[in-house]
Amino acid sequence: MDALQTIIDAIALGSVYALVAMGIGLVFGVMRLVNFAHGELITFGAYALVLTNHLPLVVGIVVCFATVIGLSLAMEVAYRPLRTSPPTTMLVTTFAVSFLLQAVALLAFGARGQNANVLEKLNTAVSIGDLRVRWVTLVSIAVGAVLLSGTALILRRTDIGLQMRAAAMDFRTAQLLGVRATTVIRFAFVLAGVLAACATVLLVVSRPLVTPGYGFQLVIPALVGVVVGGLDRLTSATLGGFAVGFAASVLGDVLPADGRVFLDTALFLLVIVVLLVRPGGLFTRSRAAWERV
Amino acid sequence: MFVADAMLEIRGLEIRYAGVPAVRGISFEVGRGEVVGLVGPNGAGKSSTLLAIMGMVEPHAGDVLVDGRSLVGSSTEEIVRGGVSLVPEGRRIFPELTVDENLRLGLQGRRSRDGAEEDVEQAAALFPVVREARDRPAGVLSGGQQQHLAIARSLVAQPSVLLLDEPSLGLAPKVVEDVFAALAEIRGRGVTILLVEQRAQFAVGFADRTHVLANGQLRLTLTPADAGDTDKMAAAYFGH
Amino acid sequence: MRRLGSASQLVAPVALLALVGLAGSFTSRSVQFQFRFALVMATIVIALYVFVGNSGVVSFGHVSFVAVGAFAAGLTTVPEALKLSLSPDLFPIIASAEVGNAMSLGLAAAVGGLFAFLVGVALMRLSGLAAGIATFAVLVITNNVLRNWEAIGPGARTLSLVPETTSFMQGTVGVIAVAILAFLYQRSRWGRVLRASSEDPYAAQGSGVNIYRQRLVAFTLSGALAGFAGGLFVHLLGSITTQQVYLDLAFLTLAMLVIGGVGSLWGAVVGALLVSGVNSLLLSAEDGIGLGFVDLDVPTGTRLVTLGAVMALIMLFRPTGITGGREIRLPGLR
């Protein structure tokens, strides 16, 4: 049952990527800002788990969440001068912040990886019929599903969620109606932080070696997914993230070693093609005009 | 023109965009419960004035006062909570949200949640579309219905001053009549209204008085009696 | 609109570069390398500026052109035997190619320019966010291909034994030549049209300007200059690996341009020299072996943190950079 195994693993990785992509999409929706530094939330969350290695698991997870959400809120404050900036400035700034945080991690923790041995039991496998599936795979899928639907529920059913959706559609009119810009943006960053923290814990179980580039390496494909899926809508962005995670996992299993090295090239060629041909994204219904000259 | 018990005061308002003057020092007042119209040709500065009141545009000089309090420098959020609400040009409803959701957004502008349900019911009574199309996406509504929704949305924010930017835009005369009938109801409840219109005939006949704004300056003031006077109406329309 | 035409605005950047070149040659051996490194960085940053400064469009991918230029110059100036020992599958034409120093630099420029042209044909319709992401994609793809396609180069292995011909003379002359070309472009009709279009795209289109074509011209030119800089780079280091012309260099050169001031040649020069200077200072302070960016896994990372922090702060609070994006005219000159 190799194929089924591959698919289940792919769904798990796709779920984790979807969490990251959704976080990026939420912030983009309310601020029109693509946060290159989103990956560093994961990096620092992972290091938090490293540092609390010897403490009880619950403490570790709490510290991880606190670190990630705290850092996300700090980013919200730092990015405030950017609210009226052109997208180019935003892009370069978040790139700078990403590099800054990576440098800080390098300074604080060194270049060599450190181990965060979290929930190692989840790496053990359980037999379901003919399959041997790791617990973490099942947990990833479950957590992913819960969080994604939970976030969707918040957006659809709560007042703050309504405000966020409105702000993402037409920020100016939302303001005219009295929607509090700062509250909405801050909430988006908090929510993105929660999603990132969950993704971090799940990731660290399968990949316990944490380096300064840990999150950056992950956020690049996730960003690809968001762009390819469709930046303008949360559902298409999240779906794009899932698709990239799914594809990366499948290709990782299926491709021979030689073919795998050009995975990045294939992925990024796809990004360029999508940007040129269908800038609104693959999973959106209409062609959104995206700053075409 | 000096009005006793002014609810909305514009004093020497000057607005510039990148150094180019759009509004060159205008002053007028709207009394409590009054309806004042502002008409003039395109680019005269009408929308800019409304945006300045709402805090979306910073005036180069001058002041805006509501109930004696200066609004200049306050954020749009604060101004809305202070009781000023704008029904924007082109209605700008959220087509992908349902009618109900659009309305609920308007509730964000209230100072307190008390009485929200009653106000929503009142809006539903005044604008049938709110009741009938509650769970449908606002994008499927007709122009007139969307205008009703936009007004309802601003109304549930409990404004003491209601600003309207070209409510007749893109609507057939019969539909405009409906809209103005609703506005008459609102006026009857004592809401102070500033009405910006490019189609002067609607404003002049409806408002207590109407100012003509042309090239950033106030040129003359009309009363409903002038609605039949073609010369004056032409002057209003072309901004002489 | 700023007056970009006056030739006196070229004096300051060229003078500063010449000064740095001259002063550097009188320093001790180990410090000399830092100076030459600064000059080569300035070349890259000026090349980047030619596109970004005139079009207003961000490019994360220019280091790709530096990369192909570096490998082109490097591969054509090392012995065939070495090349084949590194990658036996190398295309015969590359394996047998051997040219002199000047030719290698010319080749680097040509390869960089051609590559930029091809990329530009596809990408110049994009602006803003889309351009940033697309050019970033180009960076990743170039690195991925160079690193893994062993028929065109040494792959992940280091290409060494490249003649270290970037002396103070070559470095200074090279960067000044690039600066002059950049200046000639920005004061030419094409350069001014592009700059005006970036400031007011609607007016430009209304006047019949083909923004796509203008951007392509700037992109190609800047790609050629970047390729040339890549040639200088490989002849400075005497070796090259794909990691040296990837993300870290991309970030560094972009930071230099942004800190100095995106809008002007003076900004590019000031940014490059200033950041290089601070970088070297911090490097000595960390007490490491000053070999520039040969290996980034140096335990101490203060200078990276400093650089990142300065860049972030500038972007947040003074996005026009130290020079405010203005050219400088020395007093006393017309």
Side-chain angles (χ1 to χ4, degrees):
Chain A
M1 285 310 261
D2 260 347
L4 195 55
Q5 187 99 23
T6 304
I7 291 180
I8 293 182
D9 281 336
I11 295 179
L13 190 62
S15 305
V16 174
Y17 271 69
L19 291 176
V20 175
M22 197 177 221
I24 297 174
L26 280 170
V27 169
F28 180 78
V30 295
M31 259 190 96
R32 285 293 171 275
L33 176 110
V34 177
N35 189 8
F36 248 103
H38 192 91
E40 275 59 61
L41 293 174
I42 296 175
T43 306
F44 279 87
Y47 274 118
L49 290 171
V50 165
L51 291 175
T52 54
N53 232 347
H54 50 287
L55 295 175
L57 178 66
V58 175
V59 176
I61 291 186
V62 167
V63 172
C64 172
F65 269 72
T67 308
V68 172
I69 295 176
L71 188 57
S72 192
L73 281 171
M75 285 187 192
E76 188 268 314
V77 173
Y79 291 151
R80 269 190 211 161
L82 293 176
R83 280 199 207 160
T84 46
S85 297
T88 304
T89 310
M90 285 188 181
L91 199 60
V92 176
T93 311
T94 59
F95 192 64
V97 170
S98 168
F99 207 88
L100 170 62
L101 290 174
Q102 286 182 65
V104 168
L106 183 65
L107 184 65
F109 301 109
R112 262 185 307 191
Q114 301 192 30
N115 266 303
N117 298 312
V118 168
L119 292 167
E120 282 171 314
K121 298 230 189 76
L122 288 186
N123 269 318
T124 56
V126 62
S127 295
I128 302 181
D130 278 341
L131 297 169
R132 280 193 68 76
V133 180
R134 287 184 303 152
W135 274 111
V136 66
T137 309
L138 296 173
V139 171
S140 298
I141 298 177
V143 169
V146 165
L147 280 172
L148 291 174
S149 35
T151 307
L153 238 102
I154 290 178
L155 288 175
R156 281 205 184 271
R157 294 289 173 86
T158 64
D159 261 355
I160 186 79
L162 177 63
Q163 290 180 65
M164 277 181 69
R165 279 191 292 146
M169 292 174 192
D170 186 346
F171 196 78
R172 245 180 145 226
T173 305
Q175 266 191 308
L176 276 175
L177 295 176
V179 166
R180 289 197 154 98
T182 309
T183 310
V184 163
I185 293 176
R186 200 179 289 157
F187 191 75
F189 272 88
V190 166
L191 206 49
V194 169
L195 293 171
C198 292
T200 307
V201 174
L202 292 171
L203 276 168
V204 162
V205 172
S206 342
R207 305 174 195 192
L209 191 67
V210 183
T211 58
Y214 194 72
F216 188 74
Q217 286 165 4
L218 186 82
V219 94
I220 294 303
L223 209 53
V224 168
V226 166
V227 171
V228 166
L231 194 52
D232 261 350
R233 294 246 177 287
L234 193 58
T235 34
S236 54
T238 309
L239 209 55
F242 180 84
V244 164
F246 189 88
S249 180
V250 167
L251 289 173
D253 278 351
V254 157
L255 282 181
D258 321 327
R260 217 175 300 168
V261 289
F262 288 109
L263 186 59
D264 276 352
T265 299
L267 217 54
F268 280 95
L269 274 175
L270 183 63
V271 173
I272 293 181
V273 168
V274 170
L275 283 174
L276 289 174
V277 166
R278 208 176 158 78
L282 284 178
F283 297 127
T284 51
R285 254 167 283 151
S286 60
R287 290 187 62 164
W290 228 29
E291 296 161 313
R292 286 288 195 86
V293 170
Chain B
M1 190 164 180
F2 195 64
V3 170
D5 195 18
M7 190 63 191
L8 173 67
E9 294 171 71
I10 312 289
R11 290 188 193 161
L13 186 66
E14 278 181 49
I15 300 174
R16 293 192 191 172
Y17 295 115
V20 178
V23 175
R24 304 164 194 265
I26 61 172
S27 305
F28 64 93
E29 292 170 0
V30 185
R32 205 171 294 269
E34 280 195 313
V35 176
V36 169
L38 197 59
V39 301
N42 261 336
K46 311 189 299 292
S47 289
S48 302
T49 305
L50 292 184
L51 289 176
I53 299 174
M54 292 304 293
M56 299 286 281
V57 158
E58 213 186 301
H60 184 253
D63 206 358
V64 174
L65 297 109
V66 164
D67 213 1
R69 270 180 1 259
S70 172
L71 296 185
V72 175
S74 303
S75 70
T76 305
E77 308 163 2
E78 291 165 355
I79 294 175
V80 171
R81 273 180 191 82
V84 185
S85 195
L86 170 68
V87 181
E89 185 185 343
R91 299 170 269 285
R92 303 210 69 91
I93 52 134
F94 295 90
E96 286 163 42
L97 298 179
T98 64
V99 167
D100 187 54
E101 286 175 326
N102 269 275
L103 208 60
R104 272 207 292 143
L105 270 177
L107 291 174
Q108 300 307 319
R110 295 175 73 89
R111 199 172 303 144
S112 93
R113 277 315 182 109
D114 298 337
E117 286 313 312
E118 286 95 60
D119 283 344
V120 169
E121 285 314 308
Q122 277 193 348
L126 196 54
F127 303 102
V129 66
V130 168
R131 205 182 329 115
E132 289 157 22
R134 206 134 195 178
D135 290 317
R136 299 171 65 198
V140 307
L141 299 179
S142 73
Q145 289 174 318
Q146 288 187 357
Q147 188 63 295
H148 281 169
L149 176 59
I151 299 176
R153 185 181 63 177
S154 287
L155 213 56
V156 298
Q158 263 189 329
S160 34
V161 178
L162 186 65
L163 312 172
L164 292 124
D165 199 346
E166 305 210 23
S168 76
L169 189 69
L171 302 179
K174 177 65 175 69
V175 180
V176 176
E177 271 182 40
D178 278 339
V179 171
F180 273 78
L183 287 180
E185 269 275 349
I186 296 170
R187 160 205 235 150
R189 296 181 197 173
V191 177
T192 309
I193 297 177
L194 176 61
L195 175 66
V196 160
E197 259 301 340
Q198 209 217 333
R199 289 149 96 171
Q201 63 272 31
F202 294 118
V204 175
F206 182 76
D208 295 322
R209 65 183 170 285
T210 303
H211 300 293
V212 178
L213 187 64
N215 208 18
Q217 290 173 312
L218 289 179
R219 294 303 174 85
L220 72 152
T221 304
L222 302 169
T223 65
D226 298 320
D229 185 336
T230 21
D231 286 334
K232 283 199 175 165
M233 288 309 296
Y237 202 64
F238 295 108
H240 296 311
Chain C
M1 219 180 78
R2 289 185 300 270
R3 290 194 53 220
L4 296 167
S6 174
S8 57
Q9 288 171 340
L10 183 56
V11 174
V14 168
L16 185 59
L17 291 168
L19 197 68
V20 169
L22 192 63
S25 54
F26 291 117
T27 58
S28 65
R29 269 207 66 93
S30 55
V31 181
Q32 278 184 6
F33 183 85
Q34 301 296 333
F35 272 85
R36 284 181 286 141
F37 189 80
L39 292 173
V40 174
M41 286 298 111
T43 318
I44 300 176
V45 176
I46 294 175
L48 182 63
Y49 156 75
V50 164
F51 179 68
V52 177
N54 288 304
S55 71
V57 177
V58 168
S59 168
F60 284 111
H62 266 65
V63 166
S64 315
F65 311 133
V66 175
V68 299
F71 276 97
L75 283 168
T76 52
T77 47
V78 299
E80 180 170 355
L82 172 65
K83 286 185 262 189
L84 289 173
S85 74
L86 284 176
S87 15
D89 298 321
L90 203 60
F91 283 133
I93 189 173
I94 299 180
S96 58
E98 232 180 287
V99 301
N101 178 48
M103 265 294 275
S104 76
L105 292 175
L107 188 65
V111 172
L114 182 64
F115 188 33
F117 179 76
L118 294 173
V119 169
V121 163
L123 260 46
M124 285 303 100
R125 298 199 183 281
L126 304 173
S127 10
L129 190 57
I133 293 180
T135 50
F136 186 80
V138 170
L139 183 66
V140 174
I141 292 173
T142 308
N143 178 266
N144 195 219
V145 169
L146 280 174
R147 205 171 160 76
N148 293 295
W149 195 12
E150 305 220 338
I152 58 168
R157 286 178 283 273
T158 308
L159 178 70
S160 46
L161 294 186
V162 177
E164 293 179 31
T165 54
T166 301
S167 58
F168 271 104
M169 182 60 89
Q170 174 155 304
T172 313
V173 170
V175 71
I176 289 180
V178 165
I180 292 176
L181 284 171
F183 187 75
L184 287 176
Y185 171 71
Q186 84 186 28
R187 95 183 252 185
S188 76
R189 201 177 148 272
W190 280 345
R192 283 188 291 184
V193 163
L194 180 62
R195 199 176 278 250
S197 312
S198 78
E199 284 164 12
D200 194 343
Y202 296 110
Q205 279 193 295
S207 323
V209 171
N210 187 334
I211 294 187
Y212 168 77
R213 197 182 301 164
Q214 293 302 335
R215 281 186 187 163
L216 186 57
V217 167
F219 199 69
T220 307
L221 175 64
S222 105
L225 295 176
F228 176 75
L232 288 177
F233 193 48
V234 72
H235 284 307
L236 170 75
L237 297 177
S239 64
I240 193 82
T241 67
T242 52
Q243 289 313 101
Q244 289 174 297
V245 280
Y246 192 36
L247 284 169
D248 296 316
L249 186 63
F251 174 73
L252 182 66
T253 48
L254 190 61
M256 287 174 172
L257 181 59
V258 162
I259 290 173
V262 167
S264 67
L265 177 63
W266 179 236
V269 170
V270 163
L273 295 177
L274 195 66
V275 172
S276 298
V278 171
N279 198 41
S280 300
L281 217 76
L282 287 172
L283 200 56
S284 330
E286 286 173 5
D287 208 26
I289 309 290
L291 283 178
F293 270 76
V294 170
D295 179 15
L296 213 55
D297 278 323
V298 174
T300 47
T302 344
R303 56 197 171 85
L304 292 177
V305 173
T306 310
L307 186 61
V310 171
M311 186 178 176
L313 288 171
I314 295 250
M315 287 307 294
L316 288 169
F317 300 114
R318 195 182 157 83
T320 50
I322 291 179
T323 62
R326 287 190 292 272
E327 301 291 357
I328 190 173
R329 205 181 316 169
L330 293 181
L333 292 170
R334 196 204 61 79

